[in-house]
Amino acid sequence: MIGGLFIYNHKGEVLISRVYRDDIGRNAVDAFRVNVIHARQQVRSPVTNIARTSFFHVKRSNIWLAAVTKQNVNAAMVFEFLYKMCDVMTAYFGKISEENIKNNFVLIYELLDEILDFGYPQNSETGALKTFITQQGIKGQHQTKEEQSQITSQVTGQIGWRREGIKYRRNELFLDVLESVNLLMSPQGQVLSAHVSGRVVMKSYLSGMPECKFGMNDKIVIDKQGKGGASDDAGKSDLGGGSGKQSIAIDDCTFHQCVRLSKFDSERSISFIPPDGEYELMRYRTTKDIILPFRVIPLVREVGRTKLEVKVVIKSNFKPSLLAQKIEVRIPTPLNTSGVQVICMKGKAKYKASENAIVWKIKRMAGMKESQISAEIELLPTNDKKKWARPPISMNFEVPFAPSGLKVRYLKVFESKLNYSDHDVIKWVRYIGRSGIYETRC
Amino acid sequence: MTDSKYFTTTKKGEIFELKAELNSDKKEKKKEAVKKVIASMTVGKDVSALFPDVVNCMQTDNLELKKLVYLYLMNYAKSQPDMAIMAVNTFVKDCEDPNPLIRALAVRTMGCIRVDKITEYLCEPLRKCLKDEDPYVRKTAAVCVAKLHDINAQLVEDQGFLDTLKDLISDSNPMVVANAVAALSEIAESHPNSNLLDLNPQTINKLLTALNECTEWGQIFILDCLANYTPRDDRESQSICERVTPRLSHANSAVVLSAVKVLMKFMEMLPKDLDYYGTLLKKLAPPLVTLLSAEPELQYVALRNINLIVQRRPEILKHEMKVFFVKYNDPIYVKLEKLDIMIRLASQANIAQVLAELKEYATEVDVDFVRKAVRAIGRCAIKVEQSAERCVSTLLDLIQTKVNYVVQEAIVVIKDIFRKYPNKYESVIATLCENLDSLDEPEARAAMIWIVGEYAERIDNADELLESFLEGFHDESTQVQLQLLTAIVKLFLKKPTETQELVQQVLSLATQDSDNPDLRDRGYIYWRLLSTDPVAAKEVVLAEKPLISEETDLIEPTLLEELICHIGTLASVYHKPPSAFVEGSRGVQHKRLPGSAGSGESVESPDTGSAAGASDAPPAVIPSQGDLLGDLLNLDLTPPATTGPPPPATSGLQLGAMDLLGGGLDSLMGDESEPPPIPLRTDTPQSPQVLHQSPSPPDYSPTELGGDLGGSSAMGAGFGAPPPAAAAAPFSAPVSGGLDDLFDLGGGVGMPMGAYSPPKTVWLPAMKGKGLEISGTFARRAGVIQMEMTLTNKAMSVMTDFAIQFNRNSFGLAPAGPLQVLTPLSPNQSIEVALPLSTVGPVMKMDPLNNLQVAVKNNIDVFYFSCQYPISMLFVEDGKMERQVFLATWKDIPNDSEAQFQIADCRLSSDAASNKLQGSNIFTIAKRTVDGQDMLYQSTKLSNGIWVLAELRVQTGNPNFTVCLKCRAPEVAQCVFQSYEAVLKN
């Protein structure tokens, strides 16, 4: 299991050092600094073995988190734990920075003591942790016995992510369907790979221990229902309405630990008792019938050895009534660029020498439109034999729909003990599609 | 909240000041002081001098302060054991605290203090805490047992904590169960044979129930523990799989990977025709793909594991090629791993896409990545024949970029393509030659030289090209030197007239001016070969090369099985067994996959077989370029195509020397030259593999080479000084007294007393035998036919359960008993086995007659090979015929059943020959001398009752003997003659 955990700043100075196992000596801290942080080469692997000691590291801005072990640990678990550690710290004190870590080092030690015992990760749900690791040490003494046992049963219990006795005057929930659409397209416009990775994020402000059931236009469910009772289904699918697609094929999905996986496996129904506040209910991935919001058509022409002509057309491909925002196209330029002239029809375009790219920004663009940019790039003559690698043209944007076609069909809330029903809950749904790695080769 | 100030105090007298503050009356000041101490401790300052003062702060109501003091204690208690005792009372008191959080904190901290006296005091509180009413305390206590076990294992056993811990597996709280499982698993690792976890269907059921309820981490502990269980039958296996599959949808990648591990392992037990088996296979792909959208570090772990999974079960991800395409912004470690998997998944169906991708990658920035991409293009060419042409043209495009490392890498892979598809793409040689000057890496230089040598006849200026390399011969790396030597010898054999000088030059450079024994030895072998018999030299040096196999870098099957059992862990990331990087005994026991269920399948290795298109590939490997010793064996010692005697020498003058050398070389190479691989047809699915495999270099490690070539290194030593005659007459063999002795010795060693038994030859090379190498021979000892074998384990895991079986054969040979390998064969161990044979087995005529097809089984697989036995071992002891019977029989057998053979070059007198033959149960019945020619009349009887009559004519002074054989079954004549020759010549 994890033998120790270190946090360093970018210089390699130790900010936090917690050793859990006797087989990890004091020199381990230095070994990592010397061999990884101060290594001349770029890091070639997130797992490093130095003298039979294995180091796992992740970096957050310029902070290094390293877990160390001498055993054959579950490597996936170690990384998941490091990410979780980052989440917990962020939930407690915001951004992970040297300053914040130094300011909160006592808290971090306390957290490390709680969420990692002898190198075994323990309950690391911030909701639960915040009930008893509060940085107001005295509070512990004023808790009643009931409160204490409530804490312990929550930390160890089946529903470790929610405490009892939550009350809201207004029961309300927000669902965000956040998708990132990824594309790799050949210069000729052939889709080399495309997928959507989506998340359903829920903010719940619900009283008691509500039992929730979430439904979406999952093809498997719709088809199953279609077989069962067609009449019932017709009404429902309209509810999702809007796009022509009735159901989508989900390649794979993963759920927050509150979701009953065995129930999903057998009935494909998503039922759970949600944590209080904001959390990620599910992640999913689709590859079929993706709506690609933009198409990029590049044209790069080399004129002699010292000049490049670039023309890029973007076309928006969604309902004209919708508006895409924060559109940005990055056109990479060779390292030996000496000057650039840009003309664009819409938005603003600039050559950024420090980034070796022309950045073209458009604030808004409606569906079924197109726009174009052309640029002349002057090059310095070089002796470099190596050809310019022509990195792909990448794009960023935000659209108010889900490129996968996912629709929320319902989210039902049942709380039998309290006197509010599904109808009393105010529900909000929002769809946001963003670009992930959206690249077109040129 | 500005704790950062504690990090900045660096003034002198700090310790003293802290001491004062720690002893302050004000609570706030005390707390501040402890924080400063902890901050100093973190940055590595020694604050152990403050021990008593800090411990004094322990008695406090402030939980935060208490935790800080505990933290200090955990760090320094070991260095101040006596003072640490001061803390015991507080701990014991805290363990009784009404607040469960404080009870747990105390027991958790106590377990971390590795001081014997404190440990003693820990036992009672721990016992109570294990049975505490509060689950939070119990789950903490469970882990504490593991801590205590780490400090004092005996104590844990004596105090009966293990039983209490086992009881916790049935606890009502899932987190307690999970921690108990984690603690027990860890303790069990250091007691490999104890049945601590006692996994039985009941406990498994409990674990599976807890699995649905506990935290993500607890699920990982439980799944990892489940993976150690071996279900009793396929039904149990399936029911566990069914309950584990929902975990594949968990948001935590580690839960997913651990679930994959359990499924991959238990799947082995499911019959392949089961519907559920197919369903399960389908269910595995999506979660594996989803792992690739995790953070890069996890992607890396996932990719390393997918690499294993793809090798074991290629069918799972065969349609998912696209997700492994490299993204421009992937970290380099992810890119490299993706590339590996792309090559593994490449097939005819997706090759066009893959190639297009690889071509893109070859223009990227990272040198390692670009190299690997170029290499991958070559691999594709070798793997998918249809793509070869496109690959070659892609490689040529890349060579045109003139980017140095791209060109070099491309040349290295083109060499392999030439090997795989001889005489197909040689038109590109001209382009390659243009880049000769830019090659500065040994591997690329060696590859280019190989190409020039191999195709010397098509390259007009081959001699000039090679000569240009020769100038800096001594500055080259060994790899290049060896290759250059071989290439020039090849060139000479192809264009002897123009290149005499060149070859002399390289031979003398290699033999006289080099310190490298490998180079010298190779030089001498060539020298002798060329001087003795250029025709033979041609056959040896320019022999047809064995084909190279298409799958590369495959992990050795037993290791792969072990690694599959370690999915998700570090072992799977390193692709090494835990014992390679874990110290001590912990966790080093080897894990194995369970055997597959279903009747007929037990023999077949479970992974292959089914899946259509799944590479049923033999574990053969492209020669790794570094391995030139392997190359040596491969290129030069491959036996000539004909097995007959070397053509007689023409020059009488050289005869003496030649004989010496011939014998010497024979004995030198005797170990190596095996009969050319004989295609073997059996009714098993594996047999076609055998066809393609011939000795392939990587399995011969340099150390083995020393052993195998036996005499070779001795010879090298003997030649420490350049042979005196060499310079004057480069092509007459260097003769010296020392040499004679050496070779005489070589000849003498092979001479057996009694029945002739040929030297052992390699029947099953290690690479065909998944690490098992079998070399062997046959002998007849005291009337019993024996198959004498040396089994060598060149794999990384222990081999057991050996068994042997023969196919039906011409003389009904069958094992007379089981194969006696009593002890398991550990890695790098050899064992000699003698298997007595009977001749009462089923009979089927083989071609050649003395061919024997053998199957050897061990715990890894079943291996098939064929070998030829000398028929002389079938000659029985009572084969002496009565004179009259002999005469009558001789007359009775028609003349057209008579076969006549020449035995060349045998320098024995007729009496000596007679004696020698008698040792092998060929009996001389009469002898006649006519005109200085001795005629020996001989008889012999085969084990199946066939009589063979012979007339052996020996002319004094003539080394050529004539044998006439008469037999009612004329087919055996050829074999009998071979035995004659073998016996007489040894």
Side-chain angles (χ1 to χ4, degrees):
Chain A
M1 285 305 116
I2 298 173
L5 208 138
F6 310 128
I7 302 180
Y8 304 82
N9 65 9
H10 66 287
K11 285 184 263 178
E13 290 164 356
V14 192
L15 304 178
I16 297 288
S17 139
R18 176 74 161 94
V19 173
Y20 294 93
R21 295 269 174 156
D22 202 39
D23 54 5
I24 302 302
R26 297 200 159 266
N27 50 2
V29 188
D30 302 320
F32 182 75
R33 178 190 18 247
V34 173
N35 289 290
V36 180
I37 302 182
H38 290 170
R40 273 191 210 143
Q41 265 193 323
Q42 187 198 352
V43 177
R44 306 300 275 193
S45 159
V47 185
T48 320
N49 193 320
I50 306 163
R52 290 198 154 221
T53 309
S54 299
F55 294 84
F56 301 75
H57 75 264
V58 300
K59 243 185 129 179
R60 287 291 180 267
S61 62
N62 53 9
I63 297 295
W64 299 76
L65 280 91
V68 49
T69 183
K70 284 209 163 187
Q71 297 169 33
N72 182 30
V73 295
N74 188 320
M77 184 187 80
V78 176
F79 280 123
E80 283 284 1
F81 177 78
L82 288 174
Y83 301 144
K84 193 62 154 206
M85 178 74 205
C86 293
D87 290 349
V88 171
M89 290 197 290
T90 315
Y92 266 94
F93 53 74
K95 192 171 170 270
I96 295 175
S97 64
E98 179 168 356
E99 202 190 347
N100 276 346
I101 288 172
K102 280 184 170 173
N103 278 336
N104 293 284
F105 83 96
V106 173
L107 169 70
I108 295 174
Y109 275 124
E110 203 175 329
L111 286 169
L112 281 177
D113 196 42
E114 185 57 46
I115 60 178
L116 208 52
D117 190 4
F118 201 41
Y120 290 106
Q122 305 292 307
N123 191 334
S124 48
E125 286 300 309
T126 9
L129 289 171
K130 278 189 168 169
T131 59
F132 68 107
I133 295 186
T134 56
Q135 277 291 281
Q136 286 140 21
I138 312 112
K139 193 184 163 192
Q141 300 303 311
H142 297 303
Q143 285 162 342
T144 62
K145 203 155 183 218
E146 286 74 49
E147 279 171 340
Q148 287 165 4
S149 72
Q150 200 195 321
I151 291 171
T152 57
S153 76
Q154 193 203 331
V155 172
T156 61
Q158 287 188 29
I159 308 167
W161 52 87
R162 188 180 182 94
R163 65 189 170 89
E164 299 222 24
I166 299 172
K167 278 203 183 81
Y168 287 100
R169 193 181 294 167
R170 196 158 100 138
N171 289 299
E172 200 169 13
L173 64 86
F174 301 84
L175 277 177
D176 279 340
V177 176
L178 307 171
E179 294 196 340
S180 102
V181 53
N182 298 276
L183 170 74
L184 184 62
M185 193 175 256
S186 77
Q188 292 76 33
Q190 185 193 4
V191 177
L192 297 174
S193 74
H195 73 274
V196 167
S197 54
R199 306 186 298 145
V200 178
V201 175
M202 181 173 174
K203 268 179 243 161
S204 71
Y205 305 104
L206 301 169
S207 311
M209 295 298 259
E211 178 73 47
C212 298
K213 205 171 169 194
F214 174 71
M216 53 187 175
N217 57 340
D218 177 0
K219 193 164 190 296
I220 299 178
V221 178
I222 304 269
D223 288 356
K224 213 193 270 174
Q225 286 176 347
K227 271 177 221 157
S231 58
D232 176 53
D233 190 48
K236 266 185 188 165
S237 55
D238 261 354
L239 216 146
S243 81
K245 265 203 284 180
Q246 301 244 319
S247 61
I248 60 161
I250 292 175
D251 288 25
D252 190 36
C253 46
T254 59
F255 296 101
H256 184 268
Q257 56 170 324
C258 66
V259 175
R260 293 181 189 89
L261 293 179
S262 40
K263 207 154 182 191
F264 177 74
D265 193 58
S266 56
E267 304 163 21
R268 220 170 159 88
S269 76
I270 303 166
S271 63
F272 53 96
I273 296 173
D276 194 37
E278 182 173 341
Y279 74 102
E280 188 180 289
L281 174 65
M282 74 177 279
R283 281 179 185 237
Y284 57 91
R285 188 166 49 80
T286 70
T287 47
K288 286 202 187 72
D289 303 325
I290 292 168
I291 306 157
L292 295 170
F294 285 95
R295 162 93 204 269
V296 177
I297 304 155
L299 235 160
V300 180
R301 205 160 68 91
E302 291 179 35
V303 186
R305 288 184 58 86
T306 56
K307 204 168 147 191
L308 274 180
E309 281 179 7
V310 180
K311 198 175 113 180
V312 176
V313 180
I314 58 168
K315 286 185 179 172
S316 59
N317 175 35
F318 44 87
K319 274 192 232 160
S321 58
L322 298 174
L323 272 183
Q325 297 184 56
K326 300 179 193 167
I327 301 148
E328 186 187 289
V329 181
R330 298 178 78 85
I331 304 161
T333 55
L335 295 173
N336 55 337
T337 302
S338 60
V340 178
Q341 273 96 48
V342 209
I343 310 161
C344 57
M345 288 160 46
K346 228 182 154 201
K348 282 178 188 166
K350 245 189 202 166
Y351 166 61
K352 295 198 172 171
S354 59
E355 296 165 40
N356 285 312
I358 300 166
V359 181
W360 176 26
K361 287 183 179 172
I362 304 170
K363 278 198 184 125
R364 265 175 224 98
M365 189 166 171
M368 307 316 269
K369 291 260 163 42
E370 71 172 71
S371 188
Q372 133 174 11
I373 184 174
S374 42
E376 275 187 23
I377 301 168
E378 305 282 339
L379 303 176
L380 292 170
T382 54
N383 298 328
D384 202 356
K385 270 189 187 169
K386 199 171 180 254
K387 253 178 46 184
W388 177 47
R390 283 205 188 181
I393 294 174
S394 59
M395 217 186 146
N396 289 315
F397 54 80
E398 201 178 291
V399 289
F401 61 90
S404 69
L406 182 131
K407 295 276 178 210
V408 176
R409 293 172 59 219
Y410 56 81
L411 199 149
K412 293 178 192 152
V413 181
F414 310 95
E415 167 54 287
S416 49
K417 286 184 194 150
L418 298 174
N419 57 344
Y420 71 94
S421 74
D422 185 41
H423 295 294
D424 304 328
V425 180
I426 306 160
K427 302 168 191 172
W428 306 86
V429 184
R430 174 167 67 163
Y431 298 91
I432 302 174
R434 293 200 181 96
S435 54
I437 295 167
Y438 202 84
E439 293 176 337
T440 307
R441 288 181 178 158
C442 57
Chain B
M1 284 259 281
T2 47
D3 286 350
S4 60
K5 63 174 186 276
Y6 304 114
F7 280 88
T8 52
T9 54
T10 48
K11 46 188 189 279
K12 276 186 183 171
E14 191 192 359
I15 299 275
F16 186 76
E17 253 174 50
L18 281 173
K19 209 177 179 83
E21 284 175 37
L22 283 170
N23 290 315
S24 156
D25 294 333
K26 287 181 192 157
K27 275 188 180 171
E28 267 314 297
K29 205 157 197 185
K30 254 189 189 176
K31 196 166 132 189
E32 295 292 286
V34 176
K35 282 188 181 180
K36 280 184 202 164
V37 172
I38 301 291
S40 309
M41 190 175 88
T42 298
V43 295
K45 279 182 214 158
D46 184 12
V47 284
S48 59
L50 296 167
F51 199 90
D53 310 282
V54 177
V55 173
N56 272 335
C57 304
M58 192 170 160
Q59 291 270 12
T60 171
D61 297 339
N62 186 319
L63 200 55
E64 192 190 9
L65 181 56
K66 197 185 270 283
K67 284 183 179 173
L68 286 173
V69 175
Y70 280 178
L71 186 64
Y72 179 90
L73 266 173
M74 285 186 267
N75 262 292
Y76 286 112
K78 215 170 155 189
S79 56
Q80 310 253 351
D82 294 334
M83 283 202 267
I85 301 300
M86 290 161 47
V88 165
N89 270 333
T90 318
F91 278 129
V92 175
K93 213 178 102 204
D94 280 356
C95 286
E96 306 277 338
D97 197 280
N99 186 342
L101 292 172
I102 293 191
R103 292 202 294 276
L105 177 66
V107 78
R108 185 164 68 211
T109 313
M110 261 178 115
C112 294
I113 296 178
R114 305 175 68 93
V115 173
D116 284 346
K117 281 178 193 155
I118 291 197
T119 312
E120 283 167 30
Y121 283 99
L122 174 61
C123 290
E124 279 322 299
L126 178 59
R127 199 185 312 281
K128 270 187 212 157
C129 289
L130 279 168
K131 302 207 161 125
D132 199 286
E133 52 167 19
D134 193 293
Y136 183 79
V137 180
R138 289 203 300 277
K139 72 112 184 160
T140 311
V143 175
C144 191
V145 176
K147 292 179 187 170
L148 188 60
H149 186 269
D150 194 39
I151 302 170
N152 189 341
Q154 196 57 46
L155 189 68
V156 170
E157 278 171 48
D158 295 347
Q159 296 279 333
F161 285 138
L162 293 181
D163 291 328
T164 325
L165 201 53
K166 275 191 216 169
D167 293 343
L168 288 185
I169 290 190
S170 316
D171 199 281
S172 58
N173 184 293
M175 190 150 175
V176 176
V177 177
N179 276 4
V181 166
L184 278 172
S185 303
E186 176 166 342
I187 294 170
E189 268 185 19
S190 44
H191 298 276
N193 298 321
S194 73
N195 193 17
L196 243 187
L197 267 164
D198 187 30
L199 292 174
N200 54 46
Q202 286 76 38
T203 46
I204 292 293
N205 201 26
K206 282 177 198 157
L207 295 184
L208 286 168
T209 311
L211 189 60
N212 287 324
E213 294 164 352
C214 60
T215 66
E216 47 195 326
W217 314 117
Q219 297 185 17
I220 299 170
F221 306 153
I222 291 178
L223 288 168
D224 284 350
C225 173
L226 274 179
N228 291 325
Y229 177 65
T230 308
R232 288 163 310 170
D233 53 31
D234 51 327
R235 212 172 281 168
E236 190 187 5
S237 185
Q238 176 174 348
S239 87
I240 295 175
C241 287
E242 278 166 356
R243 294 178 70 178
V244 167
T245 35
R247 298 298 119 196
L248 294 174
S249 304
H250 203 286
N252 187 314
S253 311
V255 175
V256 176
L257 267 180
S258 290
V260 169
K261 164 164 59 188
V262 174
L263 296 174
M264 282 291 285
K265 187 175 168 187
F266 288 11
M267 241 173 135
E268 299 287 339
M269 297 190 59
L270 299 177
K272 290 192 180 56
D273 44 359
L274 199 68
D275 285 347
Y276 182 70
Y277 178 84
T279 318
L280 197 53
L281 272 182
K282 277 201 203 102
K283 276 193 177 168
L284 276 171
L288 288 173
V289 174
T290 297
L291 291 176
L292 297 183
S293 41
E295 288 83 347
E297 291 87 2
L298 267 174
Q299 280 187 49
Y300 173 74
V301 173
L303 286 165
R304 294 292 283 174
N305 280 287
I306 288 173
N307 198 328
L308 299 173
I309 293 168
V310 166
Q311 285 185 60
R312 181 78 191 162
R313 297 192 176 277
E315 63 271 31
I316 294 179
L317 287 168
K318 67 178 170 194
H319 298 305
E320 303 287 351
M321 173 60 96
K322 275 189 181 178
V323 299
F324 297 102
F325 285 178
V326 170
K327 294 186 187 129
Y328 193 72
N329 291 322
D330 279 337
I332 182 67
Y333 49 81
V334 170
K335 285 185 177 175
L336 292 172
E337 293 306 317
K338 280 187 174 174
L339 205 47
D340 256 347
I341 294 169
M342 280 174 69
I343 306 170
R344 291 212 194 287
L345 292 179
S347 68
Q348 203 183 330
N350 55 27
I351 195 74
Q353 271 184 322
V354 173
L355 264 182
E357 281 294 307
L358 292 175
K359 205 175 166 184
E360 287 285 331
Y361 304 162
T363 59
E364 282 219 30
V365 189
D366 190 284
V367 177
D368 282 354
F369 180 61
V370 170
R371 281 173 178 273
K372 202 163 181 173
V374 176
R375 215 162 261 230
I377 296 175
R379 295 272 181 269
C380 286
I382 288 161
K383 196 171 170 186
V384 184
E385 186 163 359
Q386 292 80 358
S387 77
E389 197 157 337
R390 223 170 330 159
C391 294
V392 171
S393 78
T394 307
L395 288 170
L396 282 179
D397 287 351
L398 290 172
I399 288 176
Q400 299 302 351
T401 63
K402 304 278 179 196
V403 178
N404 194 284
Y405 54 85
V406 174
V407 173
Q408 309 213 36
E409 207 64 43
I411 286 180
V412 171
V413 297
I414 285 181
K415 183 202 78 180
D416 285 340
I417 296 177
F418 283 174
R419 282 287 306 274
K420 171 84 182 185
Y421 309 109
N423 306 319
K424 222 169 159 189
Y425 300 107
E426 282 74 14
S427 54
V428 308
I429 290 175
T431 322
L432 302 186
C433 289
E434 287 165 19
N435 292 287
L436 216 59
D437 301 331
S438 64
L439 309 180
D440 52 12
E441 290 161 22
E443 202 179 341
R445 285 174 85 82
M448 191 64 222
I449 293 169
W450 182 86
I451 292 171
V452 174
E454 186 66 17
Y455 298 102
E457 68 272 26
R458 310 188 190 188
I459 307 173
D460 293 336
N461 59 344
D463 48 342
E464 284 168 33
L465 294 177
L466 292 175
E467 199 169 1
S468 67
F469 282 101
L470 209 54
E471 281 161 20
F473 188 77
H474 289 295
D475 301 328
E476 300 282 1
S477 73
T478 312
Q479 186 183 7
V480 179
Q481 289 177 334
L482 286 167
Q483 205 54 263
L484 194 53
L485 172 62
T486 305
I488 292 180
V489 171
K490 281 185 193 163
L491 173 69
F492 171 71
L493 289 168
K494 289 173 177 176
K495 299 180 182 173
T497 45
E498 310 121 71
T499 52
Q500 278 225 16
E501 213 171 298
L502 195 60
V503 81
Q504 283 180 25
Q505 206 182 336
V506 76
L507 285 176
S508 77
L509 277 172
T511 53
Q512 293 174 31
D513 301 339
S514 172
D515 295 334
N516 185 319
D518 290 334
L519 186 62
R520 277 205 312 260
D521 287 354
R522 198 191 281 200
Y524 278 119
I525 288 180
Y526 284 145
W527 199 327
R528 265 152 235 291
L529 213 49
L530 291 173
S531 58
T532 317
D533 186 351
V535 180
K538 207 162 187 169
E539 276 171 2
V540 170
V541 179
L542 303 180
E544 208 152 293
K545 276 159 285 298
L547 278 183
I548 52 176
S549 141
E550 47 200 47
E551 282 297 336
T552 49
D553 312 319
L554 284 179
I555 293 174
E556 193 260 321
T558 39
L559 177 62
L560 181 62
E561 279 194 20
E562 190 180 352
L563 291 180
I564 290 286
C565 299
H566 286 293
I567 283 178
T569 69
L570 263 181
S572 71
V573 173
Y574 292 147
H575 288 183
K576 283 178 188 159
S579 52
F581 58 92
V582 175
E583 273 165 12
S585 62
R586 185 176 265 162
V588 293
Q589 67 259 51
H590 292 279
K591 294 188 180 178
R592 285 208 54 210
L593 290 174
S596 70
S599 50
E601 284 184 315
S602 54
V603 182
E604 188 196 358
S605 89
D607 65 324
T608 55
S610 60
S615 61
D616 211 357
V621 180
I622 287 185
S624 77
Q625 275 79 4
D627 200 338
L628 262 142
L629 285 168
D631 209 6
L632 166 72
L633 285 174
N634 192 18
L635 292 177
D636 304 326
L637 293 185
T638 323
T642 53
T643 41
T650 40
S651 155
L653 195 89
Q654 287 190 346
L655 207 65
M658 188 203 116
D659 192 15
L660 275 174
L661 287 166
L665 271 177
D666 278 353
S667 69
L668 249 180
M669 300 176 49
D671 289 341
E672 283 307 312
S673 50
E674 52 182 314
I678 292 157
L680 176 70
R681 278 260 156 253
T682 49
D683 44 0
T684 56
Q686 265 110 341
S687 65
Q689 303 174 4
V690 182
L691 276 170
H692 307 292
Q693 296 175 17
S694 27
S696 188
D699 268 2
Y700 296 98
S701 70
T703 45
E704 289 160 47
L705 182 73
D708 286 350
L709 266 177
S712 143
S713 53
M715 189 169 100
F719 285 140
F731 284 131
S732 71
V735 185
S736 73
L739 270 180
D740 284 3
D741 292 349
L742 201 67
F743 286 131
D744 274 348
L745 201 70
V749 168
M751 182 132 25
M753 294 311 288
Y756 162 67
S757 156
K760 281 186 179 171
T761 52
V762 178
W763 287 338
L764 179 73
M767 55 171 312
K768 268 195 274 178
K770 301 193 177 172
L772 174 66
E773 186 185 271
I774 301 179
S775 57
T777 183
F778 295 87
R780 188 180 183 92
R781 304 205 191 277
V784 180
I785 307 169
Q786 285 192 339
M787 184 168 174
E788 295 174 345
M789 285 177 289
T790 309
L791 308 181
T792 310
N793 181 353
K794 295 189 173 171
M796 294 178 72
S797 57
V798 176
M799 295 180 177
T800 54
D801 311 331
F802 285 94
I804 195 164
Q805 220 171 0
F806 293 171
N807 211 344
R808 283 191 284 181
N809 54 71
S810 316
F811 294 94
L813 283 174
L819 189 62
Q820 299 283 336
V821 185
L822 298 174
T823 48
L825 195 56
S826 6
N828 284 323
Q829 199 194 345
S830 286
I831 192 170
E832 303 278 343
V833 208
L835 177 74
L837 305 181
S838 70
T839 52
V840 293
V843 177
M844 185 176 83
K845 195 179 161 195
M846 302 294 291
D847 184 34
L849 211 59
N850 56 345
N851 195 17
L852 180 65
Q853 297 178 340
V854 185
V856 169
K857 175 182 140 344
N858 64 7
N859 56 335
I860 295 166
D861 208 336
V862 184
F863 310 105
Y864 303 90
F865 59 86
S866 70
C867 52
Q868 293 181 18
Y869 47 88
I871 210 162
S872 61
M873 69 169 196
L874 299 170
F875 297 167
V876 292
E877 275 70 21
D878 60 349
K880 187 161 188 172
M881 226 178 213
E882 289 295 325
R883 278 180 178 229
Q884 280 76 18
V885 183
F886 183 89
L887 270 173
T889 317
W890 186 268
K891 281 185 191 148
D892 196 48
I893 297 175
N895 273 345
D896 50 10
S897 298
E898 180 178 318
Q900 188 163 333
F901 301 93
Q902 295 282 328
I903 299 176
D905 210 30
C906 186
R907 359 199 98 253
L908 290 169
S909 68
S910 57
D911 286 342
S914 168
N915 280 338
K916 225 172 171 182
L917 290 168
Q918 182 140 7
S920 292
N921 294 339
I922 300 172
F923 301 95
T924 305
I925 295 158
K927 178 180 170 185
R928 208 148 59 107
T929 308
V930 182
D931 303 338
Q933 179 169 274
D934 290 338
M935 324 248 282
L936 301 176
Y937 294 95
Q938 300 174 316
S939 74
T940 190
K941 188 175 139 193
L942 291 169
S943 55
N944 58 355
I946 295 177
W947 284 93
V948 181
L949 311 184
E951 180 193 50
L952 182 69
R953 282 180 239 148
V954 181
Q955 180 97 46
T956 335
N958 185 347
N960 295 347
F961 293 7
T962 308
V963 197
C964 289
L965 295 176
K966 271 193 165 184
C967 177
R968 289 192 200 275
E971 305 93 312
V972 301
Q974 179 69 36
C975 290
V976 174
F977 159 67
Q978 281 168 10
S979 294
Y980 258 92
E981 186 172 52
V983 172
L984 287 172
K985 286 207 171 174
N986 280 278

